[in-house]
Amino acid sequence: MRRALRWFMACWLMAVCVVAATSTAALAADLRPLVQALGTGGYAGTEKALAQLSEAGDPAAVPVIEALQAGDLYVRKADGAVVVARKAGADFALTDPLSGADLGPAASGAVDKVKVNNALRRAISASLGALTLMSPDAAVRRSAADAVFKSRDASALDTLNAALAKETDSGVRRAMEQARAAVILTAGASDPDTQAAVATLAGRGDRDALALLTMVAASGASDAAKSAAAAAVASVEQKLAFWAALQNLWYGLSLGSVLLLAAIGLAVTFGVMGVINMAHGEMVMIGAYTTFLVQELFRAHAPGLFDLSILVALPAAFLVAGGVGIAIERSVIRWLYGRPLETLLATWGLSLALQQAVRSIFGPSNREVGAPSWMSGAFELGGLTITYGRLWIVIFAFAVFATLLVALKRTWFGLSIRAVTQNRPMANAMGIRTARVDALTFGLGSGIAGLAGVALSQIDNVSPNLGQGYIIDSFMVVVFGGVGNLWGTLVGALTLGTLNKFLEPYAGAVLGKILVLIFIILFIQRRPRGLFALKGRAVEA
Amino acid sequence: MSAEDTLLYLDGVSVSFDGFRALNNLSLVMMPGEMRAIIGPNGAGKTTMMDVITGKTRPDHGTILFEGATDLTRLREASIANLGIGRKFQRPTVFEPHTVWDNLELALKAPRRPLKTLTYAIGRDDKARIEEILEITRLSPKRDRLAGSLSHGEKQWLEIGMLLAQEPKLLLVDEPVAGMTDAETEQTAELLCGIAGKHSVIVVEHDMSFVRALGVKVTVLAEGSVLAEGSLDAVSANSQVIDTYLGR
Amino acid sequence: MLTRFFLMGLDRKAGVVLTILALLAVLVPVMTLLVPADSPFHMSVFTVSLLGKYLCFALLALALDLVWGYVGILSLGHAAFFALGGYAMGMYLMRQIGPRGVYGNPVLPDFMVFLNWTELPWYWLGFDQFWFAALMVLAVPGALAFAFGWFAFRSRVTGVYLSIITQALTFALLLAFFRNDMGFGGNNGLTDFKEILGADIQAPGTRVGLFVATVVALALSYMIASGIIASKLGKVLVAVRDTEGRVRFLGYDTESYKLFAWTLSACMAGVAGALYVPQVGIINPSEFAPASSIEAVIWVAVGGRGTLAGAILGAVLVNFGKSYFTGALPELWLFALGGLFVAVTLFLPKGLLGLGAQLAAKLPGNRAGNKSVPGGKTADQKGM
């Protein structure tokens, strides 16, 4: 930072001298002598000529400077003419830098490269920035304005003023004004100008603006300007804090939806059936490994359709995990109904065996699960950065939640589940096959865990221990939200996710998690039945 | 009547569960040594009334005073029991893995702190008291049987015996003769009448012949409040009571 | 008074257990130290430490059985108390290393020097004294259990909910002890011990001494536990286990009874951990893993819940099996352990010690209708 500042100051001083010496002459002059000057006098000569070229403010100079930037600008030894040379076989093909006219081939020994050092490179991009401000293309002008904002090159100020006078596009205009303000603040200016620039930058309100404003507030400007800058710093900081909070909220929502996915299945088996399934995490793991297998099939047989692999993996994971769940219910859990602590132990045993089974089949190391193209990348929304993968998981989690809610409330199967949980003998008497409903309900919960596995395979390591990382969190979500209440699970997951992410910046990830755990422990002790407790005589028994 | 002379004083007690009013502005007064029978249809709030007296359920509104001074709504179950309020549940609840003797020993009036029970050694008086209760409840021959192996009626008697062992000032007895033979029912009525006088008793019962055998003041509850109060004959003639409970 | 208390719990089962422990306390030192190395009756120091480790686990199982078997609190976090006791002992052993560490700092343990710490954190003070460390072995797990139990029991958290928050407790401690800046050696824990009470920790004599100390601790704990069970307090505890609400209406403050048993159990687990650490030579955060706590539960279940002796038997048998499997067929160990969980809960609900009673009940005409339905009430959850 400090070095950059020093460089800006040096650049500015030099530019002032150059402007003083050449401004009147350069504007009228033909560009050609200036281009010619690029090839003489070593770095200093090139730099001086470059500054004059930008002062001239003629967009025709842009290709020349771009060639200089790309390292394509050469001096022909024969006559000292500055030319653009590009490799053509063993030789160079020469063109005129300004007109682009073909100047014929030249042996590689016949030309000398115009050398560029780091200082020059910065000057080049600054002057390119200044010159492209005049481009007829609005997008080019805009990025040029942004370039000036970053370089804060004082030599661009006149061009910038000229460009602003002509600018009609409001977005580009704003960018230019901000660039101008940045230049003014860096270079120093009269009090009203400084204050106007401070106001402009306050409107921009990002980290770059904050850095500049902070510099002004600490600089030797007038008190009025300094206090204006300080106020602007405060308002920008507030705005940034707002976006940071929003970003945290997004991270929290994202983590919350992961927790929700992991916990929904548990809300069915634990919340609705009252079965403690410690192998729930392993159902998630099975879903993730199913995704891996489906992707392997796609890689081997239809690599072109790889983007669809996740869509195939979803039903596959649901069926595989659901099938394993039904098998577990029929073989073990049905003998243990009404004995939750024994169920807990038996399913823990199953989870150990399932982990070891997967470890024996697939090996202990992580398996590679790829992301389809529509799930990679990110986009910006205001001050937020949102990755597509996370966005899809949030959408998916809510979709699964809504589907389950509708299925339980509106379908015959859902009605049977509720009937069996509320009054088993009566449901039996009315012809509902309770054993089958039990098995299918458990299968449903496990299948949803499998779906969670597909989503988690996108953001977590697919290893035999995948499920272990989620089981405690999932239980916390269900218990925190209130057992037997799907909405409670939703609110619980989002609350815990957000709480976690808001604690992280202050306490760090591990301590944050510990604090959340302690919070839940205290919370459960205050409200043993969770956030959305069922009240009344029924639950007190 | 002032609250100070009463043993139990309920005034304007209301409880609701999820919008359902289990008790609605219930008021009831018990004098020391009094026995009272409470009848009423299912859902009238009989069990909930016992719950609020014994501290299992907190009332939303209302006053509950014991011996005219102690506010029961602020106390936990154990403290209320130690004040001298004993309760027998509708479904007999005894400690099934313990013997009949141990059940009575646990119920026997004695210090209740953990360290006191750790060092407790049964004395001559306590032994005699348990023997006495075994006699009263006719469980002497089964003193070493596990409570879980008793018949339903025997469990009812054991629970009544435990209630006696507590020596409470007020006994709350919920359906004491459910599942008993006629002879047992008669004996239970005698037993309870014997207790009254020394202790106050509230009996909740559906069995009309049992209530008649007790021959005490009757309170009819309906929809969480008192519908009628008086002798069994008087309330039986009350047209409201006939409509809501007894039927025509 | 005290003798009466200890004698109260002495039935035939206790006689068998105490006799076996007494035999171990005599035979093992003789076989290790007196019998010459080439004799078939010689016992290696390695075996002594292995047996000592099993007995530490047995003590942990005994502590767990006291709360699970007799009060109905299924703790999925008892290994946390074990580990805390272990850490307290480990801290004493670390301070005994003195200047013999790799960095040669006379006060600071190696890992602190490595982290560039300049002075001992306050909570390490006093651990150079054995009596202080011994006090902490009881006080730290006891205080944590008391605070946790005070909140949990007063809020009437019971059954599965209680189990899950005990698991969350040990999980939180696991995460905490993994952190380097907690000052407990982070990931690596505490190790490289040199001596205990001035004796070389590797010497056969010390090993045998530690073993005998473990036997004595186990025997004492057994007598305390069985004394409590036989007392009126024990009867209250069992009554609380099955019908807590009813006990309250008899005027017993059930929360303080549970708190008493829970805290005592945590102290016993702490002692087990403290004896375990010098015998295995290391304590690290993995002891806090929820899996270790649940493994301890299965020891109790295998032997027979609510029998005390069963907990000891189960812990020794399962850990013997573990040593065998992880040596001979490491791939199969988790299958075996997982299968054990399922098999015990399905087929051996009363454990090995209850096998006889269970077989008797299976005889015709003795069938107890044990209906099981989802969401039904259970002995553990039945409140009033």
Side-chain angles (χ1 to χ4, degrees):
Chain A
M1 191 68 213
R2 191 179 295 162
R3 194 191 306 165
L5 267 180
R6 207 180 297 154
W7 184 81
F8 284 134
M9 295 313 282
C11 191
W12 172 70
L13 277 174
M14 195 182 71
V16 170
C17 302
V18 170
V19 168
T22 61
S23 57
T24 42
L27 271 173
D30 184 19
L31 289 175
R32 193 160 294 279
L34 292 177
V35 171
Q36 206 54 44
L38 285 171
T40 54
Y43 293 131
T46 309
E47 185 152 1
K48 188 171 157 202
L50 182 64
Q52 288 168 333
L53 261 180
S54 352
E55 278 312 306
D58 187 340
V62 170
V64 184
I65 302 174
E66 276 172 355
L68 178 65
Q69 188 175 34
D72 289 340
L73 208 60
Y74 287 80
V75 176
R76 189 155 59 191
K77 283 185 187 165
D79 56 0
V82 171
V83 294
V84 173
R86 291 197 171 85
K87 262 272 195 257
D91 294 339
F92 284 103
L94 305 186
T95 48
D96 183 86
L98 280 171
S99 68
D102 190 3
L103 298 178
S108 54
V111 287
D112 274 334
K113 193 172 191 165
V114 179
K115 292 202 183 71
V116 175
N117 61 8
N118 274 343
L120 256 177
R121 262 185 212 107
R122 283 182 210 152
I124 289 169
S125 40
S127 55
L128 270 179
L131 287 173
T132 44
L133 284 170
M134 298 299 198
S135 163
D137 184 350
V140 172
R141 293 201 301 277
R142 171 153 204 160
S143 62
D146 287 343
V148 174
F149 182 87
K150 292 221 163 62
S151 70
R152 298 172 216 172
D153 182 359
S155 66
L157 191 57
D158 290 334
T159 327
L160 204 50
N161 282 332
L164 260 173
K166 287 199 296 180
E167 188 56 62
T168 50
D169 182 307
S170 65
V172 178
R173 202 181 164 79
R174 195 161 57 237
M176 286 180 171
E177 276 167 353
Q178 287 165 357
R180 184 166 166 269
V183 171
I184 287 174
L185 289 184
T186 312
S190 69
D191 207 38
D193 280 356
T194 307
Q195 290 196 26
V198 163
T200 310
L201 282 183
R204 179 181 169 107
D206 64 355
R207 293 215 167 271
D208 295 325
L210 185 64
L212 265 168
L213 290 169
T214 315
M215 184 187 84
V216 174
S219 72
S222 74
D223 286 345
K226 268 159 76 174
S227 68
V233 164
S235 94
V236 170
E237 272 174 348
Q238 205 176 1
K239 199 182 274 178
L240 284 176
F242 169 75
W243 282 112
L246 220 56
Q247 183 80 55
N248 265 339
L249 203 63
W250 166 251
Y251 286 145
L253 185 66
S254 168
L255 178 65
S257 60
V258 168
L259 290 176
L260 179 63
L261 269 177
I264 293 178
L266 206 64
V268 173
T269 51
F270 182 36
V272 178
M273 297 178 78
V275 169
I276 312 293
N277 182 15
M278 294 301 268
H280 181 78
E282 278 56 49
M283 300 294 136
V284 176
M285 173 196 69
I286 287 173
Y289 272 92
T290 309
T291 315
F292 165 70
L293 282 179
V294 168
Q295 288 202 343
E296 286 295 287
L297 284 178
F298 268 84
R299 282 201 181 101
H301 300 292
L305 298 174
F306 186 76
D307 274 359
L308 298 177
S309 62
I310 292 286
L311 298 182
V312 177
L314 283 175
F318 183 82
L319 291 177
V320 172
V324 174
I326 289 177
I328 289 177
E329 199 276 343
R330 284 291 88 186
S331 60
V332 176
I333 290 174
R334 69 163 158 158
W335 308 107
L336 297 171
Y337 281 131
R339 289 154 63 194
L341 297 180
E342 276 89 344
T343 315
L344 189 156
L345 293 179
T347 49
W348 177 268
L350 286 172
S351 88
L352 291 182
L354 284 172
Q355 277 175 48
Q356 184 60 41
V358 168
R359 199 173 286 126
S360 301
I361 299 170
F362 295 96
S365 51
N366 294 343
R367 286 304 184 150
E368 172 69 27
V369 170
S373 59
W374 46 273
M375 280 185 80
S376 6
F379 65 97
E380 300 229 336
L381 186 76
L384 296 181
T385 312
I386 292 175
T387 56
Y388 283 105
R390 290 283 179 170
L391 182 65
W392 277 113
I393 288 178
V394 172
I395 293 171
F396 181 62
F398 281 90
V400 171
F401 177 79
T403 313
L404 180 66
L405 207 60
V406 171
L408 285 181
K409 286 254 152 79
R410 294 285 148 90
T411 65
W412 171 250
F413 176 49
L415 187 63
S416 314
I417 291 179
R418 283 182 293 142
V420 171
T421 33
Q422 279 164 21
N423 192 335
R424 174 166 298 266
M426 184 59 90
N428 220 337
M430 298 189 62
I432 297 174
R433 283 192 274 174
T434 51
R436 214 170 94 168
V437 172
D438 288 339
L440 289 179
T441 313
F442 198 79
L444 174 68
S446 305
I448 294 173
L451 291 181
V454 180
L456 294 182
S457 72
Q458 294 295 317
I459 53 169
D460 205 339
N461 297 326
V462 177
S463 77
N465 300 328
L466 171 72
Q468 286 299 298
Y470 290 97
I471 184 71
I472 292 186
D473 285 341
S474 314
F475 267 112
M476 291 298 130
V477 166
V478 175
V479 169
F480 176 69
V483 176
N485 188 322
L486 277 183
W487 288 103
T489 307
L490 176 72
V491 175
L494 296 184
T495 312
L496 293 186
T498 315
L499 192 64
N500 230 322
K501 286 296 171 188
F502 271 88
L503 281 174
E504 254 175 39
Y506 306 103
V510 175
L511 202 59
K513 204 167 164 58
I514 295 171
L515 288 177
V516 169
L517 281 175
I518 293 174
F519 164 74
I520 295 172
I521 291 175
L522 291 178
F523 179 86
I524 292 178
Q525 296 183 344
R526 197 120 279 281
R527 296 191 62 163
R529 304 264 162 201
L531 210 51
F532 289 84
L534 300 168
K535 257 173 71 182
R537 299 218 297 193
V539 293
E540 286 186 20
Chain B
M1 188 192 316
S2 74
E4 283 120 62
D5 307 328
T6 62
L7 182 72
L8 184 68
Y9 178 87
L10 274 74
D11 188 28
V13 176
S14 298
V15 178
S16 48
F17 300 114
D18 284 338
F20 168 68
R21 287 217 138 183
L23 289 184
N24 190 5
N25 209 11
L26 175 75
S27 300
L28 185 88
V29 173
M30 286 286 291
M31 302 308 287
E34 187 187 350
M35 170 142 73
R36 177 79 58 93
I38 299 207
I39 59 174
N42 283 327
K46 300 179 303 262
T47 304
T48 308
M49 184 193 78
M50 294 209 170
D51 285 348
V52 295
I53 294 172
T54 51
K56 189 185 160 196
T57 303
R58 294 251 177 272
D60 301 333
H61 309 285
T63 319
I64 306 177
L65 295 180
F66 187 65
E67 295 182 314
T70 316
D71 182 0
L72 297 186
T73 59
R74 296 172 187 283
L75 298 177
R76 294 165 73 95
E77 293 98 318
S79 317
I80 292 175
N82 284 331
L83 284 175
I85 297 180
R87 179 173 184 181
K88 189 205 133 340
F89 287 84
Q90 195 171 337
R91 206 179 50 188
T93 320
V94 293
F95 305 126
E96 306 206 341
H98 289 316
T99 61
V100 169
W101 180 281
D102 283 348
N103 267 281
L104 292 173
E105 188 183 309
L106 283 178
L108 202 65
K109 192 177 167 78
R112 297 293 204 227
R113 307 296 309 165
L115 289 179
K116 296 281 187 198
T117 54
L118 183 62
T119 55
Y120 174 82
I122 192 160
R124 190 189 304 261
D125 292 350
D126 288 356
K127 263 191 183 140
R129 178 81 185 123
I130 293 178
E131 291 286 358
E132 187 191 340
I133 293 168
L134 283 172
E135 282 306 316
I136 296 174
T137 55
R138 297 155 210 259
L139 287 169
S140 285
K142 302 195 166 167
R143 63 176 70 193
D144 291 327
R145 289 270 297 275
L146 292 186
S149 69
L150 298 179
S151 73
H152 187 80
E154 287 167 338
K155 281 182 189 168
Q156 295 272 39
W157 279 82
L158 176 56
E159 209 182 359
I160 293 172
M162 288 163 73
L163 209 50
L164 294 177
Q166 267 180 277
E167 293 176 28
K169 293 170 185 155
L170 172 65
L171 286 79
L172 306 175
V173 189
D174 203 347
E175 301 201 15
V177 295
M180 282 188 178
T181 62
D182 286 351
E184 284 172 334
T185 303
E186 213 170 289
Q187 287 161 1
T188 310
E190 274 171 36
L191 179 65
L192 288 179
C193 290
I195 294 169
K198 278 180 283 176
H199 315 270
S200 297
V201 186
I202 295 180
V203 187
V204 167
E205 189 48 81
H206 278 297
D207 187 328
M208 278 302 153
S209 59
F210 176 73
V211 174
R212 189 169 297 282
L214 291 179
V216 295
K217 188 173 170 185
V218 173
T219 298
V220 186
L221 286 192
E223 289 172 7
S225 46
V226 175
L227 190 65
E229 223 166 50
S231 73
L232 183 60
D233 292 330
V235 298
S236 301
N238 184 314
S239 63
Q240 266 183 302
V241 175
I242 294 168
D243 283 346
T244 55
Y245 181 45
L246 297 173
R248 283 179 195 275
Chain C
M1 187 78 222
L2 210 58
T3 42
R4 193 183 67 80
F5 169 71
F6 278 123
L7 290 176
M8 205 156 52
L10 285 184
D11 53 7
R12 217 180 51 182
K13 195 173 67 188
V16 175
V17 171
L18 294 177
T19 312
I20 294 175
L21 289 178
L23 277 176
L24 278 175
V26 174
L27 283 183
V28 168
V30 170
M31 286 165 77
T32 314
L33 300 175
L34 299 181
V35 175
D38 49 5
S39 155
F41 294 104
H42 176 76
M43 187 182 270
S44 71
V45 173
F46 174 79
T47 315
V48 175
S49 288
L50 198 63
L51 280 179
K53 197 174 97 174
Y54 293 168
L55 293 188
C56 291
F57 288 146
L59 182 50
L60 173 60
L62 184 79
L64 191 58
D65 194 24
L66 183 64
V67 287
W68 186 34
Y70 293 94
V71 202
I73 304 169
L74 174 54
S75 168
L76 296 183
H78 243 52
F81 304 125
F82 180 85
L84 285 173
Y87 265 97
M89 177 56 82
M91 286 160 82
Y92 162 75
L93 296 171
M94 286 308 266
R95 298 286 310 264
Q96 295 309 298
I97 295 174
R100 285 167 289 185
V102 176
Y103 294 105
N105 189 307
V107 181
L108 291 189
D110 277 349
F111 72 87
M112 289 187 193
V113 182
F114 187 74
L115 291 173
N116 289 324
W117 291 14
T118 50
E119 58 182 310
L120 215 55
W122 59 267
Y123 46 83
W124 274 76
L125 298 176
F127 276 94
D128 49 339
Q129 302 294 322
F130 184 80
W131 66 266
F132 182 79
L135 187 69
M136 288 299 126
V137 162
L138 293 170
V140 173
L144 177 67
F146 186 86
F148 180 86
W150 196 83
F151 278 114
F153 302 146
R154 285 192 75 80
S155 336
R156 308 222 168 140
V157 183
T158 53
V160 177
Y161 295 89
L162 188 59
S163 301
I164 291 175
I165 62 168
T166 54
Q167 190 173 31
L169 174 77
T170 191
F171 189 61
L173 283 169
L174 170 75
L175 292 177
F177 273 74
F178 264 125
R179 288 164 57 91
N180 273 328
D181 48 7
M182 277 285 285
F184 296 107
N187 205 357
N188 300 323
L190 310 175
T191 188
D192 288 334
F193 309 132
K194 306 286 186 218
E195 56 185 40
I196 179 167
L197 287 170
D200 178 5
I201 206 161
Q202 303 292 349
T206 319
R207 292 287 168 147
V208 170
L210 285 168
F211 175 82
V212 173
T214 311
V215 174
V216 170
L218 183 57
L220 266 178
S221 304
Y222 184 90
M223 284 160 75
I224 291 174
S226 58
I228 286 173
I229 303 304
S231 73
K232 188 174 171 189
L233 184 138
K235 288 172 191 162
V236 176
L237 289 178
V238 170
V240 166
R241 177 189 71 191
D242 291 346
T243 36
E244 180 169 359
R246 186 72 185 85
V247 185
R248 277 198 199 110
F249 290 116
L250 283 185
Y252 291 99
D253 182 20
T254 55
E255 285 81 28
S256 52
Y257 279 81
K258 285 157 89 170
L259 197 54
F260 173 84
W262 173 251
T263 308
L264 178 73
S265 169
C267 292
M268 281 186 189
V271 171
L275 288 161
Y276 172 82
V277 168
Q279 297 189 73
V280 298
I282 185 169
I283 174 84
N284 63 30
S286 69
E287 300 293 340
F288 285 106
S292 345
S293 293
I294 297 192
E295 248 184 87
V297 172
I298 204 65
W299 305 335
V300 179
V302 166
R305 173 188 170 195
T307 57
L308 293 186
I312 297 176
L313 179 70
V316 173
L317 280 184
V318 175
N319 280 294
F320 179 75
K322 185 178 187 174
S323 302
Y324 171 75
F325 264 106
T326 46
L329 304 156
E331 282 270 296
L332 290 184
W333 165 241
L334 281 183
F335 285 123
L337 186 64
L340 195 61
F341 272 95
V342 178
V344 167
T345 45
L346 284 187
F347 307 118
L348 266 184
K350 291 178 192 309
L352 289 175
L353 286 197
L355 198 56
Q358 202 189 335
L359 287 178
K362 275 271 158 71
L363 292 177
N366 223 344
R367 206 162 279 160
N370 217 345
K371 268 199 215 145
S372 60
V373 290
K377 278 181 219 130
T378 67
D380 302 283
Q381 280 192 319
K382 210 188 288 166
M384 283 278 133

